[in-house]
Amino acid sequence: MTTRLFGAPIRRVEDPRLVTGAGRYLDDLGQGALAAAFVRSPHAHARIIDVDADDAVDVAGVVAIYTHDDLGGGVGERLPLLIPHPSLTHGRTGYALARDEVRHVGEPVVMVVATDRYVAEDACERITVTYEALPVVVGIDNARAGAYLVHDDVPGNVAAHLLQEVGDVDAALAAAPHTLELDLGIERSASTPLEGRGVYASWDAERGELRMYSSTQTATGVRAAVAAKLGLPLAKVECIAPDVGGGFGVKIMHPWPEEVLVPWAARRLGRAVKWVEDRREHFVSSAHERGQVQHVTVGFDDEGHLLGLDVRFWHDTGAYTPYGIIVPIITSTQLLGPYKPGAYRCEFWSLYTNTVIVTPYRGAGRPQGCFAMERTMDAIADRLGLDRAEVRARNFIGPEEMPYDHGLLFQDGRPLRYDSGDFPATLAKLKALVGWDDFAAYRSDAEAQGRRVGLGIGCYVEGTGVGPYEGGHITIETSGRVNVSTGLTSQGQGHETVFAQIVAQELGVRLEDVHVTTGDTRRMAYAVGTFASRAAVMSGNAIALAARNVRAKALRIAAEALEVSPGDLDIVDGVVEVKGAPGTSLSLGTVAVLSNPLRYAFDEATKAATQFAGTFDPDKPPVADDEEPGLEGKDFYSPTQATFANGMHAAVVETDPVTAEIRILRYCVVHDCGPMVNPMIVEGQIHGGVAQGVGGALYERMVYDEAGQLVNASFMDFLMPYASEVPAVETDHLETPSPLNPLGIKGAGEAGTIPVSAVIASAISDAEGFPITSMPISPAALWELRRRHEAGELPSLHRPAKEST
């Protein structure tokens, strides 16, 4: 029997290639291509008066200079609004090159194409753009005030306004024995992957075909967008995602201006063109996320049960809304976590500011929602003098209540209906892992040493595997090699390993015989992309279904050749065997030969498929009416709704009594993503997610001044945690299968990030004795909060007897 591979902690098969320098990233391609560079706006809001490129035209090596006036047809029109929504009443997108007006620092105004990047950058410096400065809107408060407008035709800077309500919230709050109000905030951050964006394109004039490479999370999306913009038949455009050095959400946005302009220039010039983003460009012209101000009103009874929850928040969407309002929609729905809220109302406003656009970043609205909900649960526990874990447990949805319908619409336009999960069991595992019930003694010992420590907790539910679909295609060659293709792209998640494990398990072949290709529209023309923790759920199930189709075909062909029933056969290590008679067998390579009747023999193996080999029934057609030649299969997986993973985190922190430095002493995670295809890769996803979450909780913050200048647009000024600041992550797992897909799996990619700010805030509050309401928090900010607390400006928290020393 083939060794069980599904669920095995197998080392990633792609790593030897990547860690030895054999990877092929965007900038490794197109070494002889022309290079593009851009003149970008230095102003947050200004009218373009004139562009003078005279001094740049004669620079040796300059091939072309383009402004918006040079862009004809679809390329000169606004970029698409990817995800329309009825509540997005004033959606606005920019142009590939700014026309008339710029609305954030870093917006592209002029494109220069030259023989190399150095020449292109030198030419950019010689181009003079004359601007007329306009009033700047920075920050949610200024956007809400509406004194100045980002877009003249958008009243109050409101791009979207959405309200969802279940039950009578006003009545529930009025009748509640207790109510609380909280004002909470999460600052801006950004994905900052190791590799920035990039695109490389070449035009075949004779065939009228465009081939492009993009460091993207959606090769098929980029292909479709570029074909539409350039007015090309879709069949004449190929898009390949090479090795991609991280994405975290910023590369699911498409098409970026450069993804349109570089192919357009390649076609216009008849030469290959490449552009690779530098680090400052990434800070000022890619995308940010997280910026929200949130107001929570909650009603609850004497036992801490939620009776009514009213949430209002204001979302900073930046200068444009090309990705719609997905982020705030996710906040408004995923905020509920594992809890029954009683009556629930959530209302949000998505507001324009003169800053970089906002698109999903790992977690995509969930960290903000989790922060709101978990800070609320801690506040309830404090008000009632109850154990924080117990208050959460009293509000959990029970496993017997699954599936649980919240009565809301999720980001995919489908019901927010939890399919699975055992939240009490997850909490029990977390409490045991972190030593929740023993922490009071630990705190007492620490305080005796003059140390200040705290314990924090955070719970979340994550909608994963959203549709509409993904596909899988599998071909078995006559050598026994198994080729697997799926359309979504990889940015370091270990897809080559995980998908190979699924196929090897389903087909009964060796892992080393399976070869996976992702993100290549030549191999899989129909796909959606990598985002929302969906790869394993969507492509994993599609590939499994395709493998089952191939297996069934292989067994039919082998059964005919061996003169047995297909039910009498099994496939073990790539060999089709008669059960109980392993000597009677055919290799899958031989079955592949038999599946493709040939006129010509190209090697010894294929002789068996030719017309005089005597292997076919002369009374039957070489290819049956309901069959296709070749041992291959394709299938698609399209779910009715998202699957919902869940987890709970706890952390122990220490805050220095003098300097207010914050150290994470322990970090514990219990996660439920259903059956794990590869536990080692799941662990890696969680560890990486926690690292990004720690960055968002303690370090990473995009700082704009009142003029709309990003003042920390470099790694010298934008803080990120080093390995020394990221704690060792202790993990445990629950595997509650989803009933919604054949493999029973749920996503895991964003789980590590979602609750970290909430958990760290909870732990710091526990250590300091006053509430933390805004993240990230620095030592300087904590020191100031201490001063305010000592001055009586902040309330004190009251530990219940169970948690006290």
Side-chain angles (χ1 to χ4, degrees):
M1 186 176 204
T2 299
T3 302
R4 182 164 180 83
L5 295 169
F6 189 110
I10 294 169
R11 290 183 178 273
R12 296 178 9 144
V13 299
E14 52 267 76
D15 283 352
R17 176 175 60 84
L18 298 175
V19 301
T20 57
R24 296 279 285 172
Y25 297 89
L26 195 287
D27 205 25
D28 293 318
L29 309 176
Q31 295 304 308
L34 299 175
F38 293 87
V39 176
R40 299 182 183 274
S41 171
H43 298 281
H45 197 191
R47 188 170 291 113
I48 300 171
I49 304 301
D50 181 62
V51 178
D52 183 354
D54 289 348
D55 288 346
V57 171
D58 295 330
V59 172
V62 169
V63 176
I65 299 174
Y66 302 116
T67 68
H68 183 273
D69 290 343
D70 300 303
L71 308 180
V75 178
E77 297 172 358
R78 288 188 180 274
L79 295 167
L81 198 165
L82 292 174
I83 309 177
H85 190 282
S87 295
L88 182 56
T89 55
H90 292 80
R92 299 291 182 269
T93 61
Y95 295 92
L97 292 173
R99 189 188 79 173
D100 302 331
E101 197 169 312
V102 290
R103 292 183 172 87
H104 68 85
V105 172
E107 191 165 356
V109 178
V110 184
M111 178 186 190
V112 175
V113 181
T115 51
D116 63 46
R117 183 65 174 263
Y118 297 99
V119 173
E121 295 283 359
D122 288 345
C124 285
E125 291 182 0
R126 294 178 177 230
I127 295 172
T128 301
V129 183
T130 304
Y131 298 93
E132 177 190 341
L134 297 172
V136 175
V137 179
V138 175
I140 290 173
D141 289 344
N142 288 326
R144 289 177 64 185
Y148 301 112
L149 299 178
V150 176
H151 300 271
D152 289 341
D153 58 347
V154 179
N157 294 308
V158 178
H161 173 226
L162 178 62
L163 183 149
Q164 292 198 72
E165 183 170 6
V166 179
D168 190 336
V169 174
D170 292 331
L173 293 175
H178 306 277
T179 59
L180 282 171
E181 294 190 39
L182 295 85
D183 287 298
L184 304 164
I186 294 282
E187 299 271 9
R188 269 193 178 222
S189 188
S191 299
T192 57
L194 188 63
E195 178 199 35
R197 298 180 293 115
V199 58
Y200 160 53
S202 60
W203 173 251
D204 185 331
E206 183 178 347
R207 299 173 63 89
E209 293 180 350
L210 176 75
R211 175 177 292 180
M212 62 180 296
Y213 297 79
S214 180
S215 181
T216 182
Q217 293 174 230
T218 172
T220 53
V222 172
R223 176 198 188 207
V226 170
K229 279 293 182 184
L230 271 60
L232 293 170
L234 190 62
K236 292 294 187 179
V237 179
E238 298 172 351
C239 183
I240 302 104
D243 290 322
V244 177
F248 310 119
V250 68
K251 296 176 184 178
I252 191 59
M253 168 60 204
H254 65 284
W256 289 100
E258 301 86 357
E259 285 175 324
V260 173
L261 293 167
V262 168
W264 173 81
R267 182 188 186 191
R268 180 162 175 158
L269 297 171
R271 299 179 63 182
V273 180
K274 183 172 75 171
W275 169 80
V276 176
E277 182 180 61
D278 66 34
R279 186 54 59 183
R280 177 168 175 78
E281 282 181 305
H282 185 78
F283 273 102
V284 302
S285 61
S286 284
H288 300 165
E289 210 237 277
R290 299 282 197 269
Q292 283 183 186
V293 171
Q294 307 174 135
H295 181 82
V296 179
T297 304
V298 62
F300 50 97
D301 65 17
D302 293 340
E303 302 300 315
H305 296 111
L306 297 173
L307 302 176
L309 184 63
D310 189 9
V311 179
R312 292 180 296 154
F313 67 87
W314 295 264
H315 171 75
D316 182 347
T317 196
Y320 303 106
T321 51
Y323 210 76
I325 53 173
I326 290 299
V327 170
I329 287 174
I330 293 174
T331 294
S332 68
T333 51
Q334 297 280 258
L335 177 148
L336 294 172
Y339 310 115
K340 294 179 284 190
Y344 177 61
R345 177 170 61 213
C346 189
E347 185 175 16
F348 71 76
W349 294 261
S350 192
L351 303 172
Y352 288 116
T353 60
N354 289 120
T355 58
V356 173
I357 64 170
V358 166
T359 65
Y361 163 39
R362 194 175 195 173
R366 297 175 186 87
Q368 301 95 303
C370 184
F371 185 71
M373 192 73 240
E374 294 303 298
R375 294 280 68 214
T376 299
M377 300 305 287
D378 276 4
I380 293 171
D382 175 63
R383 171 65 65 87
L384 299 176
L386 296 173
D387 179 86
R388 291 170 291 164
E390 181 60 29
V391 167
R392 287 165 168 82
R394 291 176 183 180
N395 287 284
F396 281 160
I397 299 162
E400 73 283 355
E401 297 178 89
M402 298 294 179
Y404 188 88
D405 195 332
H406 276 290
L408 303 168
L409 288 182
F410 191 41
Q411 63 147 316
D412 54 0
R414 293 173 178 266
L416 183 72
R417 184 187 299 118
Y418 294 175
D419 57 305
S420 58
D422 188 340
F423 307 138
T426 302
L427 180 61
K429 279 180 170 285
L430 181 71
K431 290 177 68 176
L433 185 62
V434 78
W436 183 272
D437 293 332
D438 301 324
F439 186 73
Y442 176 82
R443 187 202 310 274
S444 181
D445 291 343
E447 288 178 347
Q449 301 167 27
R451 298 167 56 217
R452 191 176 297 183
V453 296
L455 174 61
I457 186 173
C459 309
Y460 65 94
V461 171
E462 178 196 1
T464 72
V466 297
Y469 68 87
E470 289 295 342
H473 180 241
I474 297 173
T475 303
I476 299 179
E477 297 183 6
T478 57
S479 64
R481 175 188 171 107
V482 182
N483 297 316
V484 181
S485 299
T486 188
L488 57 65
T489 61
S490 300
Q491 304 87 45
Q493 297 93 336
H495 293 161
E496 291 181 40
T497 305
V498 170
F499 296 155
Q501 286 181 255
I502 292 172
V503 170
Q505 182 74 37
E506 292 286 344
L507 281 181
V509 300
R510 300 180 308 166
L511 185 73
E512 55 266 35
D513 290 332
V514 183
H515 302 267
V516 177
T517 299
T518 64
D520 188 336
T521 62
R522 299 169 299 180
R523 301 286 189 89
M524 179 64 70
Y526 293 97
V528 181
T530 303
F531 59 95
S533 303
R534 69 191 297 275
V537 177
M538 299 301 299
S539 280
N541 278 286
I543 287 168
L545 294 172
R548 293 174 189 182
N549 293 339
V550 173
R551 179 185 177 91
K553 184 174 184 178
L555 293 178
R556 288 197 304 271
I557 294 170
E560 185 172 337
L562 296 172
E563 299 181 336
V564 297
S565 168
D568 294 331
L569 299 175
D570 197 6
I571 306 176
V572 179
D573 290 336
V575 177
V576 185
E577 300 177 344
V578 176
K579 296 175 183 177
T584 307
S585 62
L586 290 173
S587 72
L588 275 177
T590 301
V591 177
V593 170
L594 298 177
S595 73
N596 183 25
L598 295 172
R599 185 171 180 83
Y600 308 109
F602 306 109
D603 54 29
E604 287 299 315
T606 55
K607 286 181 180 179
T610 56
Q611 60 266 46
F612 299 113
T615 55
F616 299 104
D617 186 336
D619 296 324
K620 295 180 180 179
V623 179
D625 292 341
D626 57 347
E627 291 280 11
E628 295 180 357
L631 190 52
E632 63 180 285
K634 179 188 286 188
D635 214 327
F636 289 84
Y637 173 66
S638 181
T640 57
Q641 65 162 80
T643 60
F644 288 85
N646 70 87
M648 300 178 192
H649 296 199
V652 178
V653 306
E654 180 172 356
T655 58
D656 190 284
V658 178
T659 67
E661 181 183 0
I662 302 161
R663 287 200 306 134
I664 304 172
L665 303 180
R666 293 184 65 198
Y667 201 94
C668 299
V669 175
V670 177
H671 184 242
D672 178 2
C673 61
M676 291 181 285
V677 181
N678 186 318
M680 185 183 298
I681 287 179
V682 172
E683 291 273 328
Q685 289 281 0
I686 291 172
H687 291 190
V690 169
Q692 284 188 296
V694 168
L698 299 178
Y699 302 98
E700 299 172 9
R701 183 167 70 100
M702 293 294 181
V703 182
Y704 280 95
D705 66 16
E706 61 185 12
Q709 298 292 330
L710 184 60
V711 300
N712 60 338
S714 73
F715 282 157
M716 182 178 292
D717 301 303
F718 178 77
L719 297 180
M720 292 192 297
Y722 296 154
S724 55
E725 278 74 56
V726 177
V729 181
E730 306 167 52
T731 59
D732 197 356
H733 298 275
L734 201 67
E735 295 185 78
T736 308
S738 170
L740 299 179
N741 62 72
L743 298 177
I745 57 181
K746 299 176 277 194
E750 297 170 278
T753 304
I754 294 168
V756 181
S757 284
V759 172
I760 300 301
S762 177
I764 295 172
S765 293
D766 187 49
E768 296 290 328
F770 53 77
I772 303 298
T773 59
S774 182
M775 297 295 270
I777 186 169
S778 65
L782 179 57
W783 192 92
E784 174 60 18
L785 290 175
R786 284 178 177 173
R787 184 199 65 76
R788 292 180 58 202
H789 180 245
E790 292 167 1
E793 299 173 17
L794 294 178
S796 295
L797 301 180
H798 307 284
R799 293 193 194 113
K802 188 174 180 181
E803 292 191 47
S804 69
T805 58

